[in-house]
Amino acid sequence: MLTKEELQALKSKATELPYVKTQGVGSWAISVVHHKNGKRVVLTPALYEALGSPEKVQFSIVADEQVLLIGKELGMSNRYPVSTKNKPTVYKASLTAQIADVFQLDFTEKSSMTFSDVAVDSLDEGAKIAAVKMKVDAEVDYAEVDHVDVDHTDD
């Protein structure tokens, strides 16, 4: 878990993601989906609740730390509405494209990537902020793992 000082340091280094107007915590914390039928960022219900279930969220990037910050109030001008019809989801092609570009996410042979290294803490008078480490494990593609059965019995 990150300390408040570490989160504050990350926040101070963050770069705002511009809001582009258009027409339109379990085994993983967030999923970045880059599919022809829709580009979006999906939060787990547990992470969404930990952030206070906001109607809109802000994203910012700490590129040198490979961290994506998510929160209701990060002091940025961007605000993305969260759809809660199924899982909490931000539908925004420009957002997912910029995340993919900054963190060098390769969607050549897959349409989504999930990330589970997340810390949630309070900053600035109780506002919740999530810091998601956006590292891609080259050996295991967690986006392809839906369920893992673990047999604890001896053969």
Side-chain angles (χ1 to χ4, degrees), residues 122-127:
S122 295
L123 270 183
D124 303 331
E125 301 165 11

Side-chain angles (χ1 to χ4, degrees), residues 7 14-15 20 22 24 29 32 41 44 52 60 65 83 92 94-95 100 119 136:
L7 280 172
T15 303
V20 180
T22 63
V32 179
V41 177
T44 60
S60 61
E65 299 287 336
S83 171
K92 193 57 147 177
S94 60
L95 172 68
V136 178

Side-chain angles (χ1 to χ4, degrees), residues 23-143:
Q23 312 284 338
V25 171
S27 60
W28 57 277
I30 73 164
S31 181
V32 179
V33 180
H34 195 271
H35 190 268
K36 65 181 179 182
N37 292 333
K39 295 167 179 59
R40 57 198 175 271
V41 177
V42 183
L43 309 176
T44 60
L47 177 58
Y48 182 64
E49 288 175 23
L51 291 173
S53 303
E55 290 181 16
K56 294 183 177 185
V57 293
Q58 296 184 319
F59 293 86
S60 61
I61 290 174
V62 185
D64 63 332
E65 299 287 336
Q66 293 290 290
V67 170
L68 178 67
L69 299 177
I70 307 168
K72 180 179 180 181
E73 184 56 55
L74 299 177
M76 306 292 177
S77 61
N78 63 28
R79 297 203 191 303
Y80 298 96
V82 180
S83 171
T84 56
K85 287 185 180 181
N86 294 311
K87 292 181 180 162
T89 304
V90 173
Y91 293 94
K92 193 57 147 177
S94 60
L95 172 68
T96 58
Q98 189 166 11
I99 290 170
D101 181 52
V102 170
F103 296 116
Q104 300 177 351
L105 305 180
D106 182 8
F107 291 101
T108 304
E109 296 184 21
K110 59 186 127 242
S111 61
S112 69
M113 292 183 173
T114 58
F115 302 90
S116 59
D117 189 356
V118 63
V120 177
D121 211 333
S122 295
L123 270 183
D124 303 331
E125 301 165 11
K128 299 288 186 177
I129 185 172
V132 182
K133 188 72 172 169
M134 300 295 289
K135 64 179 179 180
V136 178
D137 189 333
E139 294 179 27
V140 179
D141 180 11
Y142 294 101

